[in-house]
Amino acid sequence: NAMFSWQRSAYHFQPQKNWMNDPDGPLYHKGWYHLFYQYNPDSAIWGNITWGHAVSRDLIHWLYLPLAMVPDCWYDINGVWTGSATLLPDGQIVMLYTGSTNESAQVQNLAYPANLSDPLLLDWLKYPGNPVIVPPAGIETDEFRDPTTAWLGPDGTWRITIGSRFNETIGISLVYQTTNFTDYELLDGVLHAVPGTGMWECVDFYPVAINGSVGLDTSAFGPGIKHVLKASLDDTKVDHYALGTYDPVTDKWTPDNPEEDVGIGLKVDYGRYYASKTFFDQDKQRRILWGWINETDTETADLKKGWASLQTIPRSVLYDNKTGTHLLQWPVKEVESLRLNSTVFEEVLVEAGSIVPLDIGPATQLDILAEFEIESLESNTTDEVSDCGDGAIDRSTFGPFGILVIADDSLSELTPVFFRPVNTSDGSLKTYFCADETRSSKANDVFKQVYGGKVPVLDDENYNMRVLVDHSIVESFAQGGRTVISSRIYPTEAIYGAARLFLFNNATGVNVKATLKIWEMNSAFIRPFPFEEPL
Ligand code: FRU
């Protein structure tokens, strides 16, 4: 459908057609990255959930493979739902996933590759003794899903955790212990619980190195390690994480800062983003984060265009040892292989209340690095806006300033990505990083929001952002990845050759100087695997 084809991304993973949601069981095996995903083979809306499967050498170029698992047993006949992979020391691969049963109960099932010597892992076997875990007493049978990757405890037995809900509103994660992945014991208590956060979907639990140097295997523990607990909140459709300490003897996790606990503090991504999952890349010693980016147009539009959803560019995740309070997310370095010609702009003055065009040619596929310095103070101070406000039109003394992506020449459509430093009562500045979709499209039937959150900017730092633009998706990273925002936008004018890039400064009291390096991005090869014989 030509009308919608502009919205397809050029270098983000998306299915050839139909509906996709959560990333499932990501892993690296014999030279290939594997991505499985919640997939409806029949339609561009959710339903008939199977596991789609794709492989890549570099996390950027992908080959679609045949479906890995379909709902064909009583214990998953209503859907092969989300799950995670565990690589065992002897080379076995264990896949645990949630099945929605013939009675729509949520149970956990075991599957494994039929042939480990196949780098493509084409065939998957479901364990004949499935389900291996059923909902325990006191838990609603339809609030018990998405098992994590297993980790090995110091006692030599494996553990997994599964999100749920207790007493209607308390988000919890249960811990199960196993030696063989077929028999499980529910441990007393929970890994963690947070009142008021509701059902926890897609829990992720993993260690990070405090020195911020490398990614860690999921079983790593000991001094110099913190643990991240992430839950996807079913009530608000937001992925929240917190940093804390895991006690492998009691199997309890404690947040560093109870006021920033899971579900009430930091978001993995402040934009359109959900059901994220990490895996440890044993080849490159890094932890990689996937996240699902849904559409924000109508179901009717999705059916017309014939597909729905994207995955983010995979991000490496490290602990930010400069703040000690945040993770750092950064697009995997392989995405830089798509960089084509670049343009540099140095110390461009952007005066308070002005817009500066950046003449870079085509602006639909970009990788943008931008750094801003507050240049001079004007006398013009304004009432403060306390956060992202109503978007880029909302002026305050020190912000907003940033870039306008996917804008047309006449600025009838534009998406500002910006910083807003705000004065606080103690005289220091607190900074918000925001993406404002409200003027991104002339279409009325798309969801447009002002997204954003706080970002720590340390004394010796400039304001810096990296922004990946790919047609209808914009992924924005502030301060090296402390705060991240993914947006979906559906312009009607600012498409193909009409898309432009601008600098803007809508502060009332400061001029800024911007230095940028902008690459045009190539498209990735994302296509069916070229099997020699019909399957
Ligand atoms: C999250 C989720 C999971 C579930 C899957 C079903 O988006 O609801 O909890 O396993 O999607 O497709």
Side-chain angles (χ1 to χ4, degrees):
N1 187 319
M3 195 180 145
F4 294 106
S5 62
W6 187 83
Q7 294 166 14
R8 253 188 106 77
S9 68
Y11 62 94
H12 280 75
F13 181 80
Q14 59 184 109
Q16 244 183 327
K17 56 177 183 176
N18 294 327
W19 167 271
M20 170 176 71
N21 54 296
D22 315 358
D24 290 322
L27 62 92
Y28 178 83
H29 180 66
K30 295 191 186 296
W32 292 91
Y33 291 97
H34 289 253
L35 175 66
F36 305 87
Y37 48 95
Q38 297 283 282
Y39 182 59
N40 183 350
D42 304 325
S43 163
I45 52 179
W46 187 88
N48 317 307
I49 293 294
T50 66
W51 273 34
H53 186 189
V55 287
S56 171
R57 287 280 195 190
D58 63 359
L59 292 162
I60 300 298
H61 305 290
W62 291 91
L63 297 166
Y64 300 116
L65 294 178
L67 299 179
M69 293 196 277
V70 298
D72 56 5
C73 298
W74 70 267
Y75 53 77
D76 62 13
I77 200 75
N78 274 307
V80 184
W81 287 4
T82 280
S84 306
T86 304
L87 309 188
L88 304 189
D90 66 0
Q92 291 288 323
I93 298 175
V94 162
M95 202 62 93
L96 286 168
Y97 71 93
T98 299
S100 179
T101 70
N102 52 355
E103 293 175 341
S104 292
Q106 292 164 12
V107 298
Q108 317 312 326
N109 301 315
L110 169 63
Y112 41 89
N115 177 9
L116 273 175
S117 62
D118 170 16
L120 300 182
L121 300 173
L122 287 173
D123 297 316
W124 288 80
L125 299 173
K126 295 178 185 173
Y127 172 60
N130 279 339
V132 291
I133 306 177
V134 299
I139 294 295
E140 301 280 339
T141 58
D142 62 350
E143 300 287 14
F144 180 61
R145 56 186 179 271
D146 314 329
T148 61
T149 294
W151 68 95
L152 196 56
D155 62 359
T157 69
W158 294 92
R159 285 149 177 77
I160 58 165
T161 184
I162 304 177
S164 185
R165 187 179 78 170
F166 184 65
N167 256 353
E168 298 294 319
T169 59
I170 308 174
I172 59 171
S173 204
L174 302 162
V175 184
Y176 286 82
Q177 193 175 3
T178 186
T179 53
N180 53 16
F181 291 92
T182 56
D183 305 291
Y184 295 80
E185 187 195 337
L186 175 62
L187 299 183
D188 283 341
V190 292
L191 180 66
H192 193 55
V194 183
T197 56
M199 172 67 196
W200 285 9
E201 299 187 307
C202 302
V203 167
D204 198 14
F205 183 61
Y206 57 90
V208 285
I210 292 177
N211 67 15
S213 57
V214 289
L216 297 176
D217 181 273
T218 310
S219 297
F221 71 94
I225 289 177
K226 279 186 189 290
H227 273 76
V228 177
L229 180 60
K230 188 278 301 188
S232 301
L233 267 52
D234 198 13
D235 291 354
T236 54
K237 294 285 180 254
V238 173
D239 275 25
H240 279 275
Y241 77 93
L243 289 155
T245 304
Y246 166 60
D247 181 337
V249 175
T250 60
D251 287 296
K252 303 278 175 278
W253 174 91
T254 316
D256 285 350
N257 176 2
E259 280 164 28
E260 296 268 301
D261 206 342
V262 180
I264 58 177
L266 300 172
K267 297 180 183 177
V268 179
D269 186 304
Y270 287 77
R272 184 72 167 178
Y273 181 92
Y274 198 62
S276 63
K277 182 181 296 299
T278 62
F279 75 103
F280 177 62
D281 172 2
Q282 73 274 26
D283 187 50
K284 298 208 163 52
Q285 304 294 302
R286 56 186 175 173
R287 183 160 288 274
I288 292 173
L289 171 70
W290 281 103
W292 163 44
I293 308 206
N294 201 346
E295 303 296 317
T296 51
D297 60 357
T298 61
E299 271 189 8
T300 317
D302 293 344
L303 287 168
K304 265 192 207 144
K305 69 189 185 207
W307 59 273
S309 302
L310 309 164
Q311 303 291 336
T312 58
I313 296 299
R315 302 170 182 168
S316 71
V317 188
L318 290 171
Y319 176 74
D320 178 16
N321 59 3
K322 280 175 88 184
T323 61
T325 53
H326 283 65
L327 289 175
L328 293 175
Q329 302 173 44
W330 202 244
V332 291
K333 61 179 183 302
E334 287 90 333
V335 75
E336 294 165 25
S337 70
L338 297 176
R339 287 173 171 174
L340 299 170
N341 54 302
S342 64
T343 314
V344 172
F345 297 88
E346 295 208 51
E347 307 211 331
V348 181
L349 176 66
V350 196
E351 288 179 349
S354 73
I355 290 174
V356 178
L358 293 169
D359 186 12
I360 53 157
T364 54
Q365 296 176 210
L366 301 177
D367 185 351
I368 304 165
L369 287 175
E371 209 171 279
F372 298 86
E373 209 179 325
I374 290 188
E375 223 273 310
S376 62
L377 280 179
E378 308 268 310
S379 53
N380 221 347
T381 59
T382 318
D383 283 346
E384 294 302 345
V385 176
S386 62
D387 47 27
C388 291
D390 290 329
I393 51 157
D394 225 346
R395 306 186 72 176
S396 47
T397 306
F398 301 102
F401 57 81
I403 58 177
L404 307 176
V405 301
I406 309 283
D408 60 333
D409 269 328
S410 67
L411 300 176
S412 73
E413 290 180 329
L414 50 91
T415 299
V417 179
F418 62 85
F419 290 103
R420 184 195 298 280
V422 174
N423 249 331
T424 60
S425 45
D426 67 8
S428 64
L429 286 179
K430 177 167 77 182
T431 302
Y432 289 86
F433 182 58
C434 317
D436 173 5
E437 300 174 350
T438 52
R439 288 171 289 161
S440 59
S441 172
K442 287 184 178 165
N444 297 321
D445 57 351
V446 302
F447 186 69
K448 301 167 213 165
Q449 198 168 316
V450 179
Y451 287 115
K454 265 186 286 185
V455 62
V457 180
L458 305 183
D459 284 344
D460 61 344
E461 294 177 344
N462 284 336
Y463 300 90
N464 67 72
M465 62 169 84
R466 175 156 178 209
V467 181
L468 297 174
V469 177
D470 186 5
H471 295 256
S472 61
I473 174 165
V474 180
E475 286 187 74
S476 307
F477 303 79
Q479 304 309 112
R482 283 180 199 139
T483 298
V484 184
I485 309 172
S486 297
S487 303
R488 290 306 303 280
I489 53 175
Y490 306 88
T492 61
E493 306 277 340
I495 60 174
Y496 298 114
R500 301 267 177 278
L501 181 68
F502 297 84
L503 283 165
F504 84 100
N505 176 7
N506 212 17
T508 55
V510 291
N511 296 333
V512 298
K513 264 190 186 165
T515 295
L516 303 96
K517 184 160 188 179
I518 303 160
W519 289 265
E520 191 190 338
M521 293 293 270
N522 209 341
S523 301
F525 292 103
I526 304 177
R527 51 177 69 159
F529 192 91
F531 288 105
E532 275 155 34
E533 286 164 48
L535 285 163

